[in-house]
Structure formats: structure tokens, C-alpha cells
Amino acid sequence: MSNSIEDSFICPITQEVMREPVICIGDGHSYEKAAIQAWFHKSGNHTSPLTGRELAGTELELVPNFALRSAIEASQQACGTSNAAVSTIPETTLFSFGTDDNKSASSNSNSTPTKRALPKSSTFAPGCPQIITAGSQGLYTGMAEIQVWDTNKWRQTLRLTDNIHDGAITCLAAFQSSPLLASGSRDKTIKVWSTTEWTSTITLQGHTDWVYCCGTGPSERLLVSGSRDCSLRVWDLEVGQARMKLAGHCGYVYCCAVDPRGNQIVSGSEDWTARVWDIDSGQCVQTLEGHNNAVMACAGWGDREVVATGGADRLVRMWDPSSWGSVATLQGHEEAVTCVALDPRGSWLVSGSRDCTLRVW
């Protein structure tokens, strides 16, 4: 079996590798069981996610796809290391997750020797001689690892494999005001690391399912995470506990971004919406609607005060935080948009997609 992730392993709704694939009798396609059940609950008219055709009666029945599940599980043995997230610490550097062609992109023409994987995370960060990548062996389980790369020589300088996480690392976020890094994992925890000593300083527990995203604010105490449990949590690192739980999404929370002033959070979800949250009250102050599928990536705000979202509908949407109105829709990707990054100066937007391309807007 090939080391690349087969398209048939990816749920059309979540754009994630399926754990419990089922066949929808009405359209003959396979979906993650929980995702297609949530789809039918949300749509109300019971349409097919792929064809848009309305389904009724026995067409709504779901049958376990044991053959596909066996193929996915077998692929775990064949897959090598998959870099699952990327971040930077201390020159403005753009970096992104690798592609199926063993490629990764940076702000210059050099590339790091990453293994095969789908685009997953990208960001800009101020002043940085290093890139940090993270992932695990296999699709679901295996040894998690963190790698540190020297951007001057474009070589790996450190690889951590002991006592990292008990599951694949799905996201990284660097703190801009201190030498700290947060990592989120499928083991349902977030760990905070000292990037000077490369030791874990704290483990945050509270989510009841995979952690998909994490974001940092202007204060070294502020950390936000989003999860497959459909919630976000705002953490106080001084006490090592969640300060509040943000509930409102009715689907997995795939992405989050924190206002540089530390006042608001934007999150994107499987429920086709992005939500804006007030950090002090924990209340949702705005729901951003416009995507026609899961919102898988978000970034903001930058000097030009704009927020970007990317979706499984292949679109990138731009939002004005002063009114939270949609100001632009960017089309061009041929598959789901899985990551977006804004230049801090507001001059550029970069998006990455399952079509294995990066686009600069």
C-alpha cells in the first residue's frame, strides 16, 4: 500500500481520515458515522452532502463499511512520520505543512525534508530563526514527535520523541511574548513547552475528545483551544486550568484565532459557521455565515484589521471585524482549504488546500 493517504480514506464532510466509516444507502458514498449523522440533523431536509439530492426513507440508512475501515487501519502500518502542525518562534517567516509530494513551502525557495502528509497548518510569526514541526508515526496512533529546524541552514537541529503526547499532535501555537510553545493532540490534552530547555512545563486537561486547534494571545497567560468535543476552552496558564468553556458550535471546532489585543476569539467549525467570542464574558457575539461546508481554517487580524476563513467548500472568505460583514470571497482552490495565514502587515494572504497547492492573494 502507498504511504500517501488515499482520497477514499477522507470523509467528504470533515476532510479528516475516517475512524468509523459508513455507507449512506441514498448516495453510495462513505462518511464518518458521527459526521453524516450530524449532517442529517443539521440539514433538516436530509440531503446528500455530495450530490445535494434529498434523501428519504431507507436512503437515510447507514451501513458500516468494514472493508474501508480495514484498509485505513492497515495503512497505519505503512505510513511513515506525518508532520501534523507547524509553528515558529523568534524575521517574518512563512511556513506550511507538507504535501503528498513531499514538499513544504517557506518564504524563500528552500524547503524542509518533511514526510508525506496533507496540508494542515500554516502561520506567520515575527522574528524567528527556527521552524517547529510536529506529528506522529501513523494516521491515528504511534510515537508523537516534535522537530526543530534551523532556517539559516535549513536543517533539523532537534527531534523530541520521549514523553511528548499519547496521540498524534494536531496543532502548535507559539507565544509571542515568551519562549513557550503549546501543542494540542488527539490524546485530548494541550502541553506547554519551554523552547529554551525543550521540557514540558504544564499539561492541560479538560477536553473530552481530540484537540484540533490552539491559539495564543498577547499575554503569555492566554491560551485558547478548540476540540472535536465541539467546544473551545480559554486557559489560565498560571493555575493550569480552563478559565471558561465556550459552547455554541454544533460540530467539531477545527480552528481558532485570537485578537492581538486579547479581546476576541474567532473559531471555525464543522457546522459551517465561524463564531466570534468575547474573551471576558465567554459569550458568542457574532456568528459568521457564508461557507457552504465546514470552516477549517481562520486567521486574523493584522494591521489592516481583517479576518480570513477557509472552508471545505474550497473558498476563502474575508471579514471586516468592525461590522463582521463579508468583504471578499476568494476562489481558486480545487479542494478543501485547510489553512490560511495573514501577513502581520496585512499585505498578503496565503491559503493551503487539499489540492496540494498554496495560493498567495
Side-chain angles (χ1 to χ4, degrees), residues 44-270:
N45 59 4
H46 297 159
T47 58
S48 163
L50 287 178
T51 68
R53 186 173 69 85
E54 188 169 350
L55 308 178
T58 58
E59 291 182 317
L60 296 170
E61 291 183 8
L62 305 174
V63 179
N65 191 337
F66 294 116
L68 180 57
R69 182 170 181 170
S70 296
I72 293 172
E73 291 174 349
S75 72
Q76 297 180 52
Q77 305 301 320
C79 283
T81 301
S82 62
N83 290 329
V86 188
S87 188
T88 66
I89 52 173
E91 143 192 62
T92 297
T93 301
L94 164 66
F95 52 90
S96 76
F97 197 67
T99 71
D100 281 337
D101 297 319
N102 276 347
K103 300 173 184 176
S104 64
S106 69
S107 55
N108 59 29
S109 60
N110 294 301
S111 63
T112 56
T114 57
K115 297 291 185 179
R116 294 178 178 174
L118 295 171
K120 191 66 176 181
S121 176
S122 64
T123 189
F124 287 94
C128 176
Q130 294 177 320
I131 288 176
I132 305 163
T133 64
S136 70
Q137 300 285 342
L139 295 176
Y140 300 126
T141 59
M143 181 177 64
E145 65 177 44
I146 292 176
Q147 301 175 25
V148 182
W149 305 85
D150 183 341
T151 58
N152 293 321
K153 299 180 180 179
W154 291 103
R155 62 182 179 86
Q156 184 183 112
T157 59
L158 182 66
R159 181 170 178 254
L160 305 175
T161 58
D162 295 333
N163 301 316
I164 305 300
H165 278 281
D166 292 331
I169 296 174
T170 54
C171 55
L172 296 174
F175 289 79
Q176 302 307 305
S177 59
S178 58
L180 297 173
L181 177 81
S183 61
S185 170
R186 289 181 175 176
D187 66 8
K188 310 175 187 178
T189 70
I190 303 101
K191 289 194 174 186
V192 179
W193 303 83
S194 164
T195 57
T196 55
E197 301 177 357
W198 285 110
T199 56
S200 176
T201 61
I202 192 171
T203 299
L204 305 172
Q205 297 178 317
H207 283 295
T208 59
D209 211 325
W210 297 352
V211 176
Y212 273 139
C213 59
C214 53
T216 60
S219 167
E220 65 182 41
R221 293 180 53 183
L222 178 61
L223 175 66
V224 178
S225 60
S227 168
R228 191 183 172 107
D229 65 14
C230 306
S231 74
L232 295 102
R233 280 170 167 77
V234 181
W235 303 89
D236 187 330
L237 299 187
E238 282 197 352
V239 298
Q241 295 181 349
R243 180 159 61 89
M244 64 179 68
K245 175 182 177 180
L246 308 181
H249 282 298
C250 56
Y252 305 158
V253 178
Y254 286 129
C255 58
C256 60
V258 182
D259 173 3
R261 293 178 292 273
N263 298 326
Q264 293 182 320
I265 301 165
V266 171
S267 60
S269 169
E270 179 192 24

